[in-house]
Amino acid sequence: MSMVSCVFRWLLCIAALTIGTACESNQLLLPDDDITRSHLLVNSYTYIRDHDNYGKEDYWATPEETILRESGDCEDFAILKMKLFLEHGIPQENLRLGYVVVGKTKEAHIVLYHSYDAGFHEAKTLVYDSLTDRVDTLEERRDIVPIYSLSPMGVFKDTIGSRSRTLGPLKLLAGSEAYRVVSSAFISF
């Protein structure tokens, strides 16, 4: 196990202890409702815009940075949730960061998608959002409009009412904050 992986597991153990779980033998033990509790834990962190937290207009924090600061913005929270879900054994093929537009404000926002369907169909894709503790399907979320999503498997164009269309490999984003953090989040998997 790499040093980064060991440090991350240690940080996860500290975070887990704050919600009443325990660590044994360098394993993160989450309760039966592990995914929801991970979502709620991350949502309990303080929302701080990148400029105030890192002194940059746009900065995609690693999961470790978000845990250490106990703060971040929407993409930081979505990335940390993705890492927690992976640590608990959710296959990476079932997770994507979703770039959405929030209905009324038209503000860009990042959420975590967890799909039970390889095509990320709306009715079978859950949305874990830093703006709410509720977990609904993408179909139920009438307040957001999906635009793009990304994972180690690639970059996808999301369209309401149809399956995602692959635009290309993740390396299309090479050199961006998104590429740096998303690709590194999967190194140990």
Side-chain angles (χ1 to χ4, degrees):
M1 181 178 303
S2 73
M3 177 59 118
V4 171
S5 183
C6 287
V7 170
F8 185 75
R9 287 181 184 273
W10 178 78
L11 290 170
L12 285 176
C13 289
I14 291 171
L17 289 172
T18 68
I19 59 171
T21 59
C23 291
E24 294 176 2
S25 305
N26 206 24
Q27 291 287 338
L28 176 65
L29 301 177
L30 294 171
D32 291 338
D33 202 10
D34 58 331
I35 300 301
T36 300
R37 299 237 359 223
S38 295
H39 169 63
L40 295 174
L41 169 69
V42 175
N43 279 6
S44 74
Y45 287 177
T46 304
Y47 182 91
I48 300 177
R49 295 198 179 272
D50 290 333
H51 185 268
D52 297 325
N53 211 7
Y54 293 98
K56 297 179 179 184
E57 275 311 305
D58 189 33
Y59 182 79
W60 288 44
T62 65
E64 296 83 358
E65 290 170 317
T66 303
I67 289 172
L68 286 172
R69 290 176 183 252
E70 293 186 10
S71 64
D73 62 5
C74 60
E75 74 269 2
D76 303 332
F77 294 160
I79 291 163
L80 176 54
K81 289 174 192 179
M82 181 182 276
K83 185 72 172 187
L84 289 168
F85 289 19
L86 288 166
E87 285 285 331
H88 191 65
I90 303 297
Q92 66 182 19
E93 301 81 41
N94 294 52
L95 298 172
R96 290 187 189 168
L97 295 178
Y99 173 80
V100 301
V101 173
V102 178
K104 291 182 181 179
T105 64
K106 304 288 187 223
E107 187 173 331
H109 184 54
I110 303 288
V111 297
L112 177 63
Y113 295 149
H114 175 202
S115 183
Y116 296 95
D117 175 320
F120 277 78
H121 190 272
E122 296 163 20
K124 296 180 181 177
T125 300
L126 298 175
V127 179
Y128 293 88
D129 188 346
S130 62
L131 297 177
T132 179
D133 289 339
R134 284 183 50 136
V135 177
D136 296 305
T137 65
L138 187 54
E139 183 177 60
E140 295 168 324
R141 289 294 303 268
R142 300 288 181 210
D143 60 322
I144 60 174
V145 177
I147 308 295
Y148 295 100
S149 58
L150 59 111
S151 77
M153 274 55 70
V155 179
F156 305 88
K157 173 69 177 132
D158 298 331
T159 307
I160 294 176
S162 65
R163 293 183 180 268
S164 296
R165 184 172 49 102
T166 303
L167 297 177
L170 184 62
K171 64 183 172 185
L172 283 175
L173 302 175
S176 71
E177 287 287 306
Y179 181 79
R180 177 185 63 84
V181 174
V182 172
S183 60
S184 70
F186 293 93
I187 285 174
S188 61
F189 293 94

